[in-house]
């Protein structure tokens, strides 16, 4: 005993300003007291957290926490000190690790029962904990809201205590509880508190307008009214309607609708007419979601905010992905949040799947049916071949050959229901063939005059009429039997398209423009004006965008509604040959066109530079068609007499793929 060394001389812990055993509750971030300002790096003084009774608290937090169970209030209160940079023995051992006996060995192990002492030289190395930035606080609140939605409330409490943040304003919490419990009078009083809070000079967001305040109160009273009706309390509901809702003088039309619900004979009838889920957690949660949208995020976070941000991030990555060509579920369950969204080029229709060689001359046109199950190709060899698309393998096989087009076939159009197929010839052809695809029978062979030139055709959306015309000034509207319904004189038509309204026909003419013609009131108007001849054009499914192949210029994208040129796509070689481009892919996000340099070019709709140049054809590529139902399937027709079917990369090694498909740039 006599040989035991004396402890180092230091002031008693009680003399160092140790906190009392019972600490005040955690304060808000704006009113935090600054403890321990006398701390010096080499003074040898202990921080306030090492005062009397410290070993007992340290032992309480030395092991894994179980949601605060078994801890005295004083110990829990110490957690709030972490936000100011000071470390109580509890906070040090539990949250930030600065003073954990297990990690730094600065003192006796938690639970040893001995007073904790730290040499003054080691105190100098303790850095004040970084104050949380606004972004960091926002992230913590978002995480807390998400965890709360999962029911992990104890975890949320601990997160808020350790971080010093607040998930939402106490008034907002009280408001939420009163809404969920159906205490409508108290919820109305809470609205007054929230309004006063938002009018304070410290509010982050500008206060709500009177209209928004009325809207929130109206929604509360509406729920109150409906719940009274469902419970059969008609007199109470009538009092709410007359004494509370009507005096607001807000949305009187809705009040009239609500008054009609008084006539509902039973609760099921009420829920059906009001399109309301009924009294309970579900309808009140929906109400709360609506109410939250009117409150600034500093008071109450918007509902499921973290989930919304993650979904927006995923959607943005998909939009920026040049090769994204599949329809995915919008829910986050269908993607991994641990990796960025990236689509491989090998999933894109850049590789030759088939080469169709049944035509024996130049192939001038190709077009997939509207349901994507068939492909029609027209050739200089006077035939139309209809190909069947295998729904599993997407391989094409010859299904039917339609013959007798003496001048060749330069244009094809499927009827809206894919029952009929119209074939047109080149400039010197005055005839038009209307085929029944299913039976292979020629229904109509139309020719108004031997001087006509019927080189283009378009179906009316009703499938009972079509328009046709050519560069010699013919422009007709006909029925399925070829009977002339209307005509427009003096229009030299290069290409045609019927809009979904069933009245307007777009026609490109020899004046380098596209005009809209209304066959009902016989009016026309200019829509697009180019500086060079428009060789062909096509329109997107929604009727908003037009894709033009312009002589010597290439491919241009126009907005038909705003009548402006949106984009000029680069790379394609376009002279005075008639080349047909197309929209395609999922959501028509892509554009493809043939070219006189023997290639097929693909662009993303938003990018002027091509994302793929497909080689394989040996002469001009006249037409490209993208399957409307299989985004990974595309066809191209060429003067080399072949039709190429493009799809994703086959399961071959790189050398085999390059050897089979040619180079992909």
């Amino acid at each position: 005993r006599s040989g035991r060394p004396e402890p180092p001389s230091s002031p008693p812990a009680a003399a160092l300003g140790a906190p009392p055993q019972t600490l005040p509750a955690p304060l808000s971030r704006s009113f935090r007291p600054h403890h321990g300002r006398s701390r010096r790096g080499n003074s040898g003084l202990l921080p306030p957290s090492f005062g009397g009774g410290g070993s007992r608290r340290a032992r309480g937090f030395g092991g894994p926490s179980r949601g605060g169970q078994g801890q005295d209030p004083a110990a829990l209160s110490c957690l709030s000190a972490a936000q100011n940079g000071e470390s109580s023995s509890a906070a040090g051992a539990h949250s930030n690790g600065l003073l954990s006996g297990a990690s730094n060995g600065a003192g006796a192990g938690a639970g040893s029962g001995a007073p904790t002492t730290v040499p003054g030289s080691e105190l100098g190395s303790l850095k004040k904990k970084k104050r949380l930035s606004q972004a960091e606080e926002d992230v913590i609140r978002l995480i807390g809201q998400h965890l709360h939605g999962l029911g992990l409330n104890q975890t949320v409490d601990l997160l808020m205590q350790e971080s010093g943040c607040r998930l939402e304003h106490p008034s907002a919490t009280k408001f939420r509880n009163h809404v969920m419990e159906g205490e409508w009078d108290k919820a109305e009083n809470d609205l007054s508190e929230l309004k006063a809070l938002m009018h304070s000079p410290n509010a982050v967001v500008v206060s709500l307008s009177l209209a928004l305040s009325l809207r929130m109160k109206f929604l509360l009273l509406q729920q109150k009214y409906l719940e009274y009706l469902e419970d059969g309390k008609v007199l109470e509901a009538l009092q709410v309607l007359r004494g509370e809702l009507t005096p607001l003088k807000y949305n009187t039309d809705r009040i009239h609708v609500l008054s009609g619900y008084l006539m509902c004979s039973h609760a099921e009838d009420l829920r059906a007419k009001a399109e309301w889920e009924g009294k309970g957690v579900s309808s009140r949660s929906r109400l709360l979601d609506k109410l939250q949208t009117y409150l600034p995020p500093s008071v109450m976070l918007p509902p499921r905010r973290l989930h919304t941000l993650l979904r927006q991030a995923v959607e943005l990555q998909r939009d920026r992905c040049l090769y994204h060509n599949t329809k995915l579920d919008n829910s986050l369950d269908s993607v991994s949040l641990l990796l960025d969204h990236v689509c491989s080029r090998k999933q894109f229709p850049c590789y030759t799947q088939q080469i169709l060689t049944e035509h024996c001359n130049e192939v001038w046109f190709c077009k997939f049916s509207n349901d994507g199950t068939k492909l029609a190709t027209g050739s200089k060899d006077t035939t139309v071949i209809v190909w069947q698309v295998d729904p599993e393998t997407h391989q094409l096989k010859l299904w039917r050959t339609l013959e007798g087009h003496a001048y060749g076939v330069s244009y094809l159009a499927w009827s809206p229901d894919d029952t009929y197929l119209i074939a047109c010839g080149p400039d010197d052809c005055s005839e038009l063939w209307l085929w029944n695809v299913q039976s292979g029978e020629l229904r109509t062979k139309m020719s108004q005059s031997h001087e006509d030139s019927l080189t283009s055709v378009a179906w009316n959306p009703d499938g009972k009429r079509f328009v046709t015309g050519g560069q010699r000034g013919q422009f007709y509207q006909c029925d399925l039997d070829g009977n002339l319904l209307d005509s427009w004189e003096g229009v030299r038509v290069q290409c045609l398209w019927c809009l979904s309204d069933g009245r307007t026909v777009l026609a490109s003419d020899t004046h380098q423009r596209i005009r809209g013609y209304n066959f009902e009131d016989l009016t026309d108007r200019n829509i697009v004006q180019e500086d060079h001849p428009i060789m062909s054009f096509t329109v997107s499914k929604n009727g908003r965008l037009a894709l033009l192949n312009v002589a010597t210029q290439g491919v241009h994208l126009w907005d038909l509604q705003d009548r402006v040129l949106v984009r000029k796509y680069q790379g394609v070689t376009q002279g005075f040959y008639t080349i047909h481009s197309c929209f395609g892919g999922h959501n028509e996000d892509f554009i493809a066109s043939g070219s006189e340099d023997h290639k097929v070019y693909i662009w993303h709709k938003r990018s002027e530079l091509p994302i793929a140049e497909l080689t394989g054809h040996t002469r001009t590529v006249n037409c490209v068609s993208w399957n409307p139902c299989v985004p990974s399937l595309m066809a191209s027709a060429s003067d080399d007499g072949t039709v190429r079917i493009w799809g994703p990369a086959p399961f071959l090694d790189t050398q085999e793929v390059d050897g089979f498909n040619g180079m992909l740039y």
Side-chain angles (χ1 to χ4, degrees), residues 546-592:
L547 193 62
L548 283 61
N549 283 76
V550 184
T552 72
Q553 302 300 301
V555 180
H556 292 179
L557 183 68
W558 279 79
D559 187 313
L560 297 178
Q561 181 173 316
D562 296 336
R563 304 183 190 182
V564 295
L565 176 62
V566 177
R567 195 160 287 110
K568 296 181 179 181
Y569 297 101
Q570 302 178 20
V572 68
T573 303
Q574 170 79 63
F576 288 91
Y577 283 101
T578 299
I579 294 176
H580 300 272
S581 57
C582 69
F583 294 96
H586 173 61
N587 200 33
E588 290 193 327
D589 286 334
F590 303 97
I591 288 168

Side-chain angles (χ1 to χ4, degrees), residues 29-236:
R29 176 177 282 290
S30 302
F31 302 95
R32 245 186 256 131
H34 295 277
H35 298 301
R37 292 188 178 181
S38 61
R39 183 188 300 180
R40 299 182 184 89
N42 298 316
S43 65
L45 297 179
L46 296 178
S49 59
F50 286 84
S55 61
R56 187 165 191 173
R57 286 194 203 101
R59 183 165 60 248
F61 281 85
S65 171
R66 297 187 178 180
Q69 296 179 2
Q71 300 166 8
D72 62 334
L76 285 174
S77 300
C78 291
L79 289 173
S80 64
Q83 64 185 341
N84 284 323
E86 288 75 25
S87 303
S88 68
S89 59
H94 182 73
S95 60
N96 55 29
L98 291 176
L99 302 176
S100 171
S103 60
N104 59 24
S112 63
T116 306
T117 59
V118 177
S121 60
E122 294 191 18
L123 283 176
S125 65
L126 298 178
K127 296 180 179 180
K128 188 174 183 179
K129 188 173 181 179
K130 177 184 175 183
R131 182 186 182 93
L132 295 177
S133 66
Q134 183 62 51
E136 290 169 334
E137 287 190 11
D138 291 345
V139 171
I140 290 174
R141 292 182 65 200
L142 292 173
I143 294 173
Q145 184 194 44
H146 185 71
L147 294 175
H148 178 75
L150 297 176
L152 304 177
N153 297 326
Q154 291 186 356
T155 305
V156 175
D157 293 341
L158 185 59
L159 174 63
M160 295 300 117
Q161 288 174 355
E162 287 189 297
S163 64
C165 297
R166 187 171 60 189
L167 184 59
E168 58 188 12
H169 194 276
S171 296
T173 302
K174 183 169 60 174
F175 176 64
R176 177 194 303 276
N177 293 336
H178 289 157
V179 170
M180 294 305 296
E181 292 168 5
E183 299 182 4
W184 307 116
D185 294 338
K186 294 181 179 179
E188 286 186 58
N189 294 333
D190 297 336
L191 275 181
S192 301
E193 293 184 19
L194 292 174
K195 184 177 179 181
L197 173 67
M198 289 180 284
H199 275 88
S200 69
N202 295 326
V204 178
V205 181
V206 179
S207 63
L208 289 176
S209 66
L210 178 60
L212 292 182
S213 300
L214 285 175
R215 172 66 174 164
M216 295 181 71
K217 188 172 184 179
F218 184 88
L219 291 173
L220 280 176
L221 293 175
Q222 178 180 255
Q223 179 79 11
K224 178 181 179 181
Y225 169 77
L226 292 174
E227 290 194 7
Y228 274 149
L229 280 182
E230 187 183 39
D231 290 340
K233 300 178 180 179
V234 179
L235 293 179
E236 289 85 346

Side-chain angles (χ1 to χ4, degrees), residues 224-270:
K224 178 181 179 181
Y225 169 77
L226 292 174
E227 290 194 7
Y228 274 149
L229 280 182
E230 187 183 39
D231 290 340
K233 300 178 180 179
V234 179
L235 293 179
E236 289 85 346
L238 189 59
Q239 176 60 34
V240 172
L241 184 66
R242 291 179 175 177
E244 299 182 64
L245 278 168
T246 302
L248 291 178
K249 297 180 180 179
Y250 179 86
N251 199 350
T252 54
D253 291 340
R254 178 60 179 168
I255 290 178
H256 292 155
V257 173
L258 292 175
S259 64
Y261 298 155
L262 289 167
M263 306 304 295
C264 293
S265 57
H266 48 78
E268 291 78 7
D269 187 26
L270 170 66

